[in-house]
Amino acid sequence: MEDVMIRTTGLTKAYESVVAVDHLDLEIRRGEVFGLLGPNGAGKTTTTLMLLGLTEPTSGEAKIDGYDCTRNPIAIKSIVGYLPDQVGFYPDLTGRENLRFTGALNGLPEAYCEERAKRLLERVGLTEAADRKTGEYSRGMKQRLGIADVLMKDPKVIIMDEPTLGIDPEGMRELISLIRDLSVEDGRTILISSHQLHQVQQICDRVGIFVKGKLIACGHIEELGRQLENEGRYLLTLQADPGGEKLKNAIASLESVRSVEEGAGGVLRIDSSADIRPQVTALLSKYGQTTLLLRQEGGDLDEIYHRFFEKAGEPNEHGGSQGKTGKLRSFLQTKFHKA
Ligand code: ATP
């Protein structure tokens, strides 16, 4: 059994004037949770469409579990579950009835459907709400029902679009642990398309940063942080008591320091070409300063994301899914979700 579950090779999609996805080479391992990050228009949706076999690549190929996504749409539909950012349920039907409906659409026998719906509602923590109409569900509940819905057909791979958008902190914790379980306990492969960096950082094993159809960075979050450090880019945040000009000037005159900016509360942001923490600590001691904050940036996905963007010459914006039209959303849902 191959370890790679999703593989794209030179995957390209060109529309008339735009190359939406440009020679994408991606490998996502079995059981991995992978985050595809990028602003509006980066090409995430187009990549998803090609993986789901709903649009043909201009060149290159996409394979899931060894099946070519374009040539084997039926196999792909049975292997892959798709969870859109806004799952559409029939509001007048209960959670359980909606799951039954999905099971029937997928040709599952009635008794099996009933049992599976019961177990899945339990798994996503919706047993008590199972017989309430979904029109009354909160967004978090709908999202959890969406996961149960996708699991009805027991997919090996789940592609999720902005799963954490608009969820409150408590709901978020439940959702994150549920998604992790799908990978760790069930061994499913999860691809999350998102711009919510903080949440992605908590869920994903690896991330890919996608800009203008190209993958500009890919790896474990710590790995990406190290890559930036290896290029000689260090950002240090320092807050000292009492602080002051003397300390600031002493830091600015260190050999590898490019710039020192002072922010609110006397917090210094130091840009340097080497790790200067030992020299800074020595200066703090020399000037009898108390360290309130000393943090090397780079391990935080938000920082990594922005700095890769700077490198790619792109504006520093997260972007979101707002750009996706309702038309595309409903197309994806009707074509795939209930397939
Ligand atoms: P969002 O988060 O807004 O959904 P995205 O990362 O999913 O963005 P895509 O929707 O894949 O990005 O779009 C990538 C590029 O391809 C954009 O420039 C978009 O305008 C263009 N594009 C997408 N679909 C089409 C189409 N059917 N015809 C022409 N251009 C398209």
Side-chain angles (χ1 to χ4, degrees):
M1 194 166 64
E2 209 193 0
D3 190 38
V4 175
M5 191 62 168
I6 301 177
R7 188 195 303 274
T8 71
T9 318
L11 188 68
T12 301
K13 178 74 186 181
Y15 294 108
E16 267 171 32
S17 57
V18 185
V19 181
V21 178
D22 195 356
H23 294 91
L24 176 66
D25 293 320
L26 189 64
E27 284 187 352
I28 302 177
R29 288 186 283 276
R30 219 170 268 276
E32 185 172 35
V33 184
F34 187 90
L36 195 57
L37 300 169
N40 286 334
K44 305 182 298 292
T45 306
T46 307
T47 303
T48 300
L49 285 170
M50 289 192 281
L51 288 173
L52 298 177
L54 296 176
T55 192
E56 265 190 55
T58 310
S59 61
E61 61 174 22
K63 283 188 173 176
I64 298 184
D65 206 14
Y67 292 100
D68 185 290
C69 299
T70 313
R71 291 197 209 113
N72 299 285
I74 295 173
I76 294 298
K77 271 184 187 168
S78 73
I79 297 169
V80 187
Y82 174 66
L83 184 69
D85 58 349
Q86 284 179 31
V87 196
F89 290 110
Y90 294 99
D92 290 334
L93 297 185
T94 66
R96 194 189 308 277
E97 287 165 346
N98 269 286
L99 294 191
R100 267 184 208 141
F101 185 72
T102 299
L105 279 181
N106 281 282
L108 304 177
E110 211 176 304
Y112 173 82
C113 253
E114 202 57 41
E115 181 52 32
R116 188 152 182 85
K118 183 168 173 265
R119 269 196 292 125
L120 290 173
L121 285 162
E122 205 174 291
R123 180 161 192 194
V124 300
L126 286 175
T127 300
E128 276 181 29
D131 299 308
R132 272 169 46 201
K133 290 185 174 165
T134 56
E136 300 165 16
Y137 279 20
S138 68
R139 181 167 161 83
M141 289 164 81
K142 278 192 188 144
Q143 209 61 347
R144 281 185 282 143
L145 186 63
I147 291 180
D149 196 57
V150 157
L151 290 174
M152 282 299 283
K153 65 174 182 184
D154 199 13
K156 291 182 181 173
V157 173
I158 304 177
I159 300 181
M160 300 182 176
D161 197 352
E162 295 290 0
T164 56
L165 207 64
I167 311 267
D168 63 46
E170 181 51 32
M172 188 74 75
R173 268 191 294 279
E174 288 168 2
L175 193 65
I176 287 174
S177 116
L178 188 56
I179 294 175
R180 291 261 14 136
D181 275 1
L182 296 177
S183 139
V184 177
E185 281 185 15
D186 300 5
R188 297 180 211 273
T189 308
I190 319 279
L191 172 61
I192 296 178
S193 164
S194 180
H195 73 282
Q196 293 213 301
L197 305 180
H198 184 64
Q199 289 78 355
V200 164
Q201 181 158 17
Q202 296 176 62
I203 309 175
C204 295
D205 300 310
R206 283 191 309 142
V207 296
I209 300 178
F210 214 32
V211 182
K212 287 193 182 154
K214 287 199 161 88
L215 201 62
I216 59 168
C218 185
H220 292 274
I221 292 163
E222 304 79 50
E223 234 171 66
L224 296 182
R226 273 200 300 275
Q227 266 182 40
L228 289 169
E229 285 183 1
N230 291 339
E231 287 170 7
R233 310 193 65 191
Y234 293 80
L235 270 186
L236 194 65
T237 306
L238 170 70
Q239 190 176 22
D241 183 29
E245 281 303 300
K246 214 160 140 189
L247 176 69
K248 190 175 157 188
N249 292 339
I251 293 173
S253 61
L254 291 174
E255 201 185 317
S256 48
V257 171
R258 292 195 195 98
S259 67
V260 181
E261 280 170 28
E262 188 167 348
V267 175
L268 301 180
R269 227 171 121 77
I270 307 157
D271 183 355
S272 63
S273 59
D275 183 359
I276 53 160
R277 279 174 296 180
Q279 290 100 305
V280 169
T281 311
L283 285 173
L284 289 167
S285 144
K286 181 175 165 192
Y287 292 114
Q289 302 259 356
T290 307
T291 311
L292 301 178
L293 171 72
L294 179 68
R295 189 166 73 95
Q296 184 103 283
E297 296 187 6
D300 179 62
L301 184 55
D302 193 70
E303 182 65 25
I304 292 169
Y305 186 77
H306 285 118
R307 288 173 69 187
F308 271 106
F309 262 65
E310 278 168 24
K311 278 189 6 169
E314 290 297 311
N316 271 346
E317 57 118 350
H318 290 181
S321 63
Q322 290 85 349
K324 197 173 299 144
T325 62
K327 209 165 134 201
L328 175 58
R329 192 173 283 134
S330 61
F331 170 73
L332 272 168
Q333 174 143 1
T334 48
K335 282 296 253 190
F336 207 82
H337 181 55
K338 302 261 167 79

